[in-house]
Amino acid sequence: MTAVDQAARTEAAGLPTLRGTTAPPLGRLVGVELRKVRDTRAGAWLLVTIALVVLGIVAMGTLWGVGATASFGSFVSVQVMPLQLLVPMVAVLAVTGEWSQRGALTTFALVPRRGRVVGAKALAVLLVTLATAAVGVAVAAVGIVVGSALHDAPAAWDLTADQAARFLLVTVLSASVGFALGVLIRSSAPALVAYLGFVLVAPMLSAIAASYVAWWAAHGLWFDLATTLQAFSAPQVTGETWAQLGTSTLLWVGVPLAFGLRGLLRTEIR
């Protein structure tokens, strides 16, 4: 087969050509990114870990966490912290894996439009996050049924739409922080350390600052996204909490993502 025939077949199949005149559809790119998340060793083990953690939490709740009633809302709410810790790591690796393993040169040679690739990665991370949250809710529902029968306690299906939406929002925003840090740093180990610092160290430092600085005690939640996300597990959320979520999200997601995209779109790939 001649080079001309090969180029014609490539273009007819909708694949990128050497001239870059044909770009694969976004859906295909998202599918490729989902396969990358699943097929890499680190990504696969993270997904397995998330599944085991969710199953373990629900199993412990089923065996020892059922009192007078089996509360569906409680079973779901206890999953917020582990998912907030683990799902963003998947987001970090989805972005940094290619840069750490020198696969970015191949990816951007096939699809020169870097913004399109980043958008596909973002959609893939969103789909993984939504699927993880859905699985968590489904496993919690099974745990309620089993716990109710095991302890002869009535099942309380008390998860409101507002609580479910906030559970999903916390998980998605946590993943967004991991994604933004991955785009900004583009190296797996430093980006993972940065995210662990955000979710574990930053709230501790914020609490220490609040105990010594009156201004931070009064206004710190406007800048501390990790602590603000924890407040969304409360039964009631005020309008001020929503405003604090907006400003802290802009600081921890918007700013790193803007600087990261600027560097990613301009940097020379080697």
Side-chain angles (χ1 to χ4, degrees):
M1 181 183 297
T2 66
V4 175
D5 293 335
Q6 181 64 41
R9 289 187 60 181
T10 300
E11 188 168 353
L15 299 173
T17 65
L18 293 177
R19 294 171 296 173
T21 56
T22 304
L26 183 61
R28 186 182 301 175
L29 289 177
V30 173
V32 170
E33 296 302 329
L34 286 173
R35 287 199 300 272
K36 290 179 183 178
V37 171
R38 183 185 68 246
D39 292 344
T40 59
R41 183 177 301 175
W45 275 109
L46 262 178
L47 294 177
V48 171
T49 301
I50 292 171
L52 293 176
V53 168
V54 170
L55 289 173
I57 290 174
V58 173
M60 287 189 292
T62 301
L63 295 174
W64 301 292
V66 176
T69 60
S71 172
F72 186 39
S74 298
F75 270 54
V76 172
S77 63
V78 295
Q79 299 182 38
V80 171
M81 183 59 187
L83 291 184
Q84 185 181 357
L85 178 64
L86 295 175
V87 173
M89 294 184 182
V90 178
V92 168
L93 295 178
V95 180
T96 62
E98 287 181 317
W99 296 88
S100 300
Q101 300 171 15
R102 303 182 64 84
L105 182 61
T106 301
T107 297
F108 293 127
L110 292 173
V111 187
R113 296 170 61 182
R114 301 184 188 182
R116 191 178 182 87
V117 175
V118 175
K121 290 180 182 294
L123 288 175
V125 169
L126 178 61
L127 291 176
V128 170
T129 303
L130 295 177
T132 303
V135 169
V137 172
V139 172
V142 174
I144 285 295
V145 174
V146 175
S148 176
L150 186 64
H151 298 276
D152 194 21
W157 301 98
D158 52 356
L159 180 68
T160 65
D162 176 66
Q163 289 175 316
R166 284 190 278 129
F167 165 71
L168 184 60
L169 178 64
V170 168
T171 309
V172 170
L173 286 181
S174 299
S176 299
V177 176
F179 185 83
L181 291 175
V183 173
L184 177 65
I185 300 174
R186 297 193 295 280
S187 181
S188 297
L192 288 173
V193 170
Y195 181 75
L196 291 176
F198 160 79
V199 75
L200 298 177
V201 179
M204 179 179 62
L205 295 178
S206 178
I208 294 174
S211 64
Y212 288 100
V213 182
W215 185 89
W216 188 261
H219 303 93
L221 289 179
W222 293 90
F223 311 97
D224 184 1
L225 178 58
T227 305
T228 303
L229 288 176
Q230 294 175 9
F232 270 72
S233 299
Q236 299 294 331
V237 177
T238 65
E240 183 181 23
T241 305
W242 281 102
Q244 291 168 345
L245 179 69
T247 58
S248 55
T249 299
L250 179 63
L251 176 64
W252 286 96
V253 178
V255 173
L257 189 59
F259 279 97
L261 285 174
R262 184 176 184 274
L264 189 149
L265 296 176
R266 296 187 178 188
T267 189
E268 181 182 358
I269 303 175
R270 298 178 179 178

